[in-house]
Amino acid sequence: MDLRILHTTTYRYQGSVDMAQHMVHLSPVDTPTQTVRSHTLTISPEPAARSQTTDAFGNLRTFFSLQAPHEVLTVTADSRVDTRAPAPLPDDPAWQTQTWEAVRDHFRYRARAPYDPASEFLFASPHVPRDDAFTAFARPAFAGGLPMLAAAQALMERIHNGLTYETASTEVNTPALVALAQGKGVCQDFAHIMAGCLRSLGLPARYVSGYLLTQPPPGQPRLIGADASHAWVSVYVPLPPGTGAQAGDEPALGAWFDFDPTNNRCGWGSPGEDYVTLATGRDFADVSPMRGVIQGGANHTLEVAVTVAPPDELDALQNPPAGR
């Protein structure tokens, strides 16, 4: 699927900002289910310094600094990505023999055990604590002896069916435990809750930020800027010892599988062909689209406009025929 994403962030300050430094995660990366065809990041006013690096999780991030007074800052990411349909969750016996208890035991500390990079996603993070409330909520989905992938899918369905998606019911910094207690939230909350449930059971889970192609209501046109960023969860499953090339003290082989509790969809590589992966981390704090520090500018307003559409459709929206 050929998709173009326009993501525009605008800060308007009350009073001039004299200096600023910002970090953005707005550059999609190549994955087994997507290929980035182009990406442009436009910043106004023009920054005094700008650089792109890869963070500890493999995401592309851009740092820029502004050293001249300004009252408005606009950052626009224009990306074009080819996505492919992910493989479904595997039913191969090698995967199905991995119960959730076996995965939990694999990640328990053992002296001189081989290092598994997925263990980085076992621990509490700024937005995702490990807590008994998460464990209690998750337990009904984790029957004894259930395959890890089946248990993760059951947890996804439990969040999808048991919590209410409600726009503006939480803020960007609302704790996941608060969203769980009130029984409602948005995609960021659902992803944090699912990650918290898995980690509280001793299972690795990472937070994924990205986009989802949505369709306008029947009979209504697509509106530029009416979409939003999206978030879901990846779950890691190691293969049993002795599988494939794994032997001796070599690191375990395994794979990440994606689960979207907001839409109750899952797959191997992404939840669907209509998803675009932007960045992965422990939680939202690792992959915030834009953050920074400023000197000056007492108060500000923030406007975010996201559009996800096939390129031809987006071009037509941006350049309507004369007379319209």
Side-chain angles (χ1 to χ4, degrees), residues 77-103:
D78 187 346
S79 307
R80 188 165 176 180
V81 180
D82 280 332
T83 64
R84 295 173 288 281
L89 300 184
D91 56 8
D92 185 278
W95 295 106
Q96 292 302 321
T97 55
Q98 282 294 71
T99 65
W100 72 267
E101 295 101 331
V103 176

Side-chain angles (χ1 to χ4, degrees), residues 16-268:
S16 177
V17 171
D18 298 321
M19 300 179 64
Q21 295 183 337
H22 295 277
M23 184 75 75
V24 300
H25 283 90
L26 290 170
S27 303
V29 293
D30 291 332
T31 74
T33 58
Q34 71 180 38
T35 301
V36 180
R37 297 182 60 181
S38 65
H39 172 76
T40 303
L41 189 67
T42 304
I43 304 168
S44 178
E46 185 68 24
R50 170 175 172 165
S51 62
Q52 186 177 74
T53 58
T54 302
D55 69 14
F57 304 108
N59 308 307
L60 293 175
R61 61 184 181 184
T62 299
F63 166 84
F64 66 91
S65 64
L66 302 167
Q67 299 179 11
H70 56 282
E71 295 184 355
V72 178
L73 170 62
T74 301
V75 177
T76 298
D78 187 346
S79 307
R80 188 165 176 180
V81 180
D82 280 332
T83 64
R84 295 173 288 281
L89 300 184
D91 56 8
D92 185 278
W95 295 106
Q96 292 302 321
T97 55
Q98 282 294 71
T99 65
W100 72 267
E101 295 101 331
V103 176
R104 177 198 60 197
D105 293 343
H106 169 81
F107 285 102
R108 282 179 168 165
Y109 174 77
R110 303 186 308 280
R112 295 180 295 279
Y115 171 68
D116 191 321
S119 62
E120 297 179 15
F121 299 93
L122 282 171
F123 306 104
S125 57
H127 290 282
V128 182
R130 293 178 59 161
D131 193 275
D132 290 344
F134 287 136
T135 304
F137 180 84
R139 275 296 181 190
F142 285 78
L146 194 65
M148 179 66 223
L149 290 174
Q153 188 168 5
L155 175 61
M156 174 187 70
E157 293 171 353
R158 179 165 169 76
I159 294 171
H160 178 78
N161 295 325
L163 304 181
T164 301
Y165 183 93
E166 185 174 314
T167 304
S169 59
T170 56
E171 303 290 339
V172 67
N173 291 320
T174 298
L177 286 169
V178 172
L180 177 63
Q182 70 182 19
K184 58 185 177 181
V186 295
C187 61
Q188 175 182 303
D189 304 302
F190 287 12
H192 281 158
I193 289 169
M194 185 165 181
C197 289
L198 290 161
R199 293 180 195 169
S200 296
L201 289 168
L203 305 167
R206 64 186 184 185
Y207 180 96
V208 188
S209 70
Y211 306 100
L212 172 62
L213 175 66
T214 59
Q215 299 299 331
Q220 297 185 27
R222 186 184 300 277
L223 299 177
I224 290 182
D227 294 324
S229 299
H230 195 49
W232 59 96
V233 171
S234 283
V235 177
Y236 184 79
V237 182
L239 282 169
T243 303
Q246 183 183 344
D249 60 356
E250 295 179 2
L253 300 175
W256 290 96
F257 299 88
D258 288 46
F259 295 82
D260 178 8
T262 302
N263 294 291
N264 201 29
R265 297 176 63 185
C266 55
W268 190 348

